[in-house]
Amino acid sequence: MRELALDDVEALAVGAWILGTGGGGSPYLGLLNMRRLYAVGHRVSLMSPLDLADEDWVAVVSNMGAPLVGQERFADSRNIARAVEIQQGLLGAKFRAVMPLEIGGGNGIQPLMAAAHLGFPVVDADTMGRAYPEAQMTSVAVGDLRPYPCVLYDPRGIEAVVTKVPSWRWMERVSRKICVELGSIASTCKAPRTGREVKDWGIHFTVTKAIGIGRCVRQAQRHQEDPVEAILDEGHGKLIFRGKVIDVARRTTEGFLRGRALIEGLDEDRGSQLDVAFQNEWVVAWRDKAPIAMSPELICVLDTVSGEAFGTETIGYGRRVSVVVLPAPSVFLTPKGLDHVGPRAFGYDLDFRSVFDQGRVS
């Protein structure tokens, strides 16, 4: 157990935005919340998932919805705390800790906001190792753990609970419909997990990983070094393209942000184009119409100068970008994991092929 300094939180915001692969929502508003909470005396501690007792209960939190809407409805730390309180009441037992559903973007900050109000530590783990758009795209779903109950909370005071569903896909369908009615964004506390389940099926030490990536970027910026190279070194990643964004098409539909970004090559990639499709997160990238990168590996579109991530809701025409790929958690590279998060899970008729098995991408 260690107390997170505000500098850790600042680094987490940078690193989680990169690991979010375009989704999870911008961490900026959540970071403003945390700066204010720390200014008035709140503190948050981080604990190892391996220190949980098997019988402990852990709250799993996230915002649900379309990232673009999150730019319009400002984050409020009391909303995610209230979702945890509702779930704790349903559970009839006290939570030991809180953890992120996904380490990506603003959802990497959500558990810190809840923890600051409720006095819980944050578990150094999540269930995605990045961000994904749907409820069944988690390690706990791959493990066939129980998908219910799920609490959704709205700042107007609307409280909704999905008490029982037959499968994770039904949880996605039902909770998404509620989320759309709430304006395509809601604070959620997912099905509670035991300490044993977190130890067996959580993706461990991802908060620390995000903080480490964020620190490398911030250090490179301070020393006028290449932050993209720092990310590749820290994240064991691979650069696949450099260029300029020449077109973005996106729409908010059914609680998701969907679309594509077209990038024209620069430097050694001049003369080629990269087309990247997204559903909240970057999902598949085609170079000159040939697929070269795809989920579950992490496609990260970064500002070439600052190294900071672009979200699918913030990417825009004229941006100079470097596209890198980071390795996927091993649970998603199994046949069952690929059924949940591989390219076919998003509707693309592609067999998964790893960037790291292809040699130099050209």
Side-chain angles (χ1 to χ4, degrees):
M1 188 87 72
R2 71 179 181 92
E3 184 178 290
L4 293 176
L6 185 57
D7 188 67
D8 293 321
V9 181
E10 301 273 353
L12 173 62
V14 175
W17 200 208
I18 292 167
L19 293 178
T21 66
S26 169
Y28 178 67
L29 296 174
L31 178 58
L32 294 183
N33 271 256
M34 291 308 302
R35 287 173 179 169
R36 178 58 183 165
L37 288 167
Y38 266 55
V40 298
H42 292 279
R43 293 295 182 272
V44 174
S45 294
L46 187 68
M47 72 177 294
S48 167
L50 305 182
D51 289 338
L52 290 166
D54 288 356
E55 65 274 12
D56 284 340
W57 287 105
V58 179
V60 183
V61 302
S62 74
N63 265 352
M64 182 180 192
L68 192 62
V69 180
Q71 299 247 76
E72 301 171 355
R73 184 178 292 179
F74 291 167
D76 186 333
S77 56
R78 294 167 295 184
N79 293 338
I80 198 66
R82 179 57 188 153
V84 174
E85 289 175 331
I86 297 167
Q87 186 69 273
Q88 185 168 253
L90 294 171
L91 181 64
K94 187 174 176 63
F95 283 121
R96 172 69 179 88
V98 62
M99 66 181 274
L101 176 76
E102 60 186 19
I103 193 57
N107 276 332
I109 308 292
Q110 289 290 317
L112 278 67
M113 295 196 292
H117 283 284
L118 301 173
F120 298 140
V122 173
V123 178
D124 193 357
D126 76 313
T127 68
M128 297 183 180
R130 48 165 291 168
Y132 281 117
E134 299 185 22
Q136 74 278 8
M137 297 176 172
T138 65
S139 58
V140 292
V142 174
D144 289 325
L145 304 187
R146 191 175 72 173
Y148 56 84
C150 176
V151 169
L152 298 93
Y153 182 75
D154 177 270
R156 291 163 291 198
I158 301 170
E159 301 176 0
V161 182
V162 182
T163 57
K164 190 173 183 179
V165 288
S167 69
W168 281 97
R169 289 188 181 276
W170 270 108
M171 175 56 77
E172 168 61 29
R173 290 177 64 179
V174 174
S175 59
R176 186 70 54 176
K177 291 294 185 183
I178 297 170
C179 179
V180 169
E181 290 300 317
L182 296 179
S184 288
I185 196 164
S187 297
T188 72
C189 189
K190 309 296 187 181
R193 304 268 69 102
T194 67
R196 182 73 266 160
E197 289 172 334
V198 172
K199 285 185 278 190
D200 288 346
W201 287 100
I203 300 172
H204 298 165
F205 306 114
T206 50
V207 178
T208 294
K209 179 179 180 179
I211 291 171
I213 290 174
R215 280 179 177 158
C216 286
V217 171
R218 298 177 81 210
Q219 182 175 341
Q221 292 170 344
R222 286 194 296 268
H223 295 144
Q224 297 184 336
E225 297 170 347
D226 185 349
V228 175
E229 284 298 325
I231 293 166
L232 294 174
D233 289 343
E234 180 73 13
H236 308 289
K238 187 170 187 177
L239 176 69
I240 65 168
F241 204 79
R242 288 190 192 271
K244 180 183 78 170
V245 178
I246 59 171
D247 191 31
V248 179
R250 58 181 159 228
R251 68 192 188 283
T252 299
T253 175
E254 298 177 329
F256 299 110
L257 185 65
R258 301 177 189 267
R260 301 171 87 97
L262 186 62
I263 304 166
E264 185 175 69
L266 296 173
D267 303 327
E268 67 272 19
D269 295 305
R270 189 174 298 278
S272 290
Q273 290 187 339
L274 193 74
D275 186 8
V276 193
F278 58 85
Q279 179 185 332
N280 285 8
E281 289 77 35
W282 311 110
V283 177
V284 180
W286 293 263
R287 181 179 181 132
D288 299 329
K289 301 185 179 180
I292 64 165
M294 61 196 72
S295 175
E297 290 179 341
L298 286 66
I299 302 171
C300 309
V301 181
L302 311 174
D303 185 291
T304 295
V305 175
S306 73
E308 297 193 17
F310 286 115
T312 55
E313 79 274 29
T314 61
I315 192 79
Y317 175 84
R319 299 288 191 178
R320 262 60 174 183
V321 299
S322 297
V323 183
V324 308
V325 178
L326 304 181
S330 59
V331 66
F332 296 126
L333 297 175
T334 64
K336 189 172 182 182
L338 289 172
D339 285 344
H340 283 256
V341 299
R344 295 185 190 279
F346 293 90
Y348 297 98
D349 187 18
L350 296 170
D351 293 323
F352 172 71
R353 185 183 177 201
S354 173
V355 161
F356 301 97
D357 295 336
Q358 297 178 29
R360 187 182 183 279
V361 176
S362 61

